[in-house]
């Protein structure tokens, strides 16, 4: 648990299909972007900072309407991207949770706090999240 809340190490990579195309074209595959991601049960889907997506040389695959506390009831259209997303294991020998292709929305986040993604309920629906506020601890099982 960090001062920002339940934060995990994660990696963003090009999607599986994009990687295959790059390899077939003998083009370089961008290296993984190692990031910190905030677990956010209030987010319906996972969002990634645009700087991380730009570093992978990705182009948008669509749009999604996003409502945040700052937008009130008005939805804001955000670009969506297909990426590979991994929550990295907390301890050596444990398995990472890997999604070879996952749709994320591009949204400026908390870069000043070192947060480059929000892990939303789309990913959390495939996990067990235990948040123990009195112990200042959390676990994610998958």
């Amino acid at each position: 648990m960090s001062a920002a809340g339940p934060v995990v190490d994660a990696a963003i990579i090009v999607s599986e299909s994009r990687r295959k195309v790059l390899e077939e074209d003998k083009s370089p595959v961008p290296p993984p972007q190692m990031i910190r991601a905030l677990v956010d049960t209030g987010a319906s889907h996972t969002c990634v900072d645009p700087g991380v997506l730009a570093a992978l040389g990705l182009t948008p695959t669509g749009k999604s309407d996003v409502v945040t506390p700052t937008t009130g009831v008005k939805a804001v259209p955000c670009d969506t991207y297909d990426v590979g997303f991994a929550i990295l294991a907390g301890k050596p020998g444990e398995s990472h949770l890997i999604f070879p292709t996952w749709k994320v929305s591009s949204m400026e986040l908390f870069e000043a706090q070192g947060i480059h993604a929000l892990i939303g309920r789309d990913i959390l629906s495939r996990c067990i999240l235990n948040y123990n506020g009195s112990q200042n601890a959390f676990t994610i099982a998958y």
Side-chain angles (χ1 to χ4, degrees), residues 7-8 13 15 30 33 51 57-58 60 69 73 77 79 94 98 100 105 115 136:
V7 175
V8 297
I13 60 174
S15 67
Q33 298 296 299
L58 300 176
V73 296
D79 289 331
E94 293 180 344
I98 300 171
S105 292
I115 304 297
N136 199 31

Side-chain angles (χ1 to χ4, degrees), residues 8-16 32-33 35-39 45-49 52-53 56 58 81-88 96-105 109 116-120 122-124 127 140:
V8 297
D9 291 322
I12 307 289
I13 60 174
V14 296
S15 67
E16 186 173 5
Q33 298 296 299
I35 62 167
R36 301 281 287 160
L38 176 66
V39 175
H45 61 279
T46 299
C47 300
V48 176
D49 192 86
V52 174
L53 300 166
L56 292 171
L58 300 176
Y81 294 80
D82 292 336
V83 300
F85 194 98
I87 297 175
L88 305 179
H96 306 306
L97 176 60
I98 300 171
F99 298 96
T101 301
W102 200 260
K103 183 177 288 206
V104 299
S105 292
L109 298 167
H116 293 94
L118 297 179
I119 298 175
D122 55 344
I123 287 179
L124 294 175
C127 305
I140 295 177

Side-chain angles (χ1 to χ4, degrees), residues 45 47 64-68 71-72 74-79 105-107:
H45 61 279
C47 300
S64 67
D65 288 334
V66 176
V67 177
T68 71
T71 63
K74 183 179 179 185
V76 175
C78 292
D79 289 331
S105 292
S106 174
M107 179 159 286

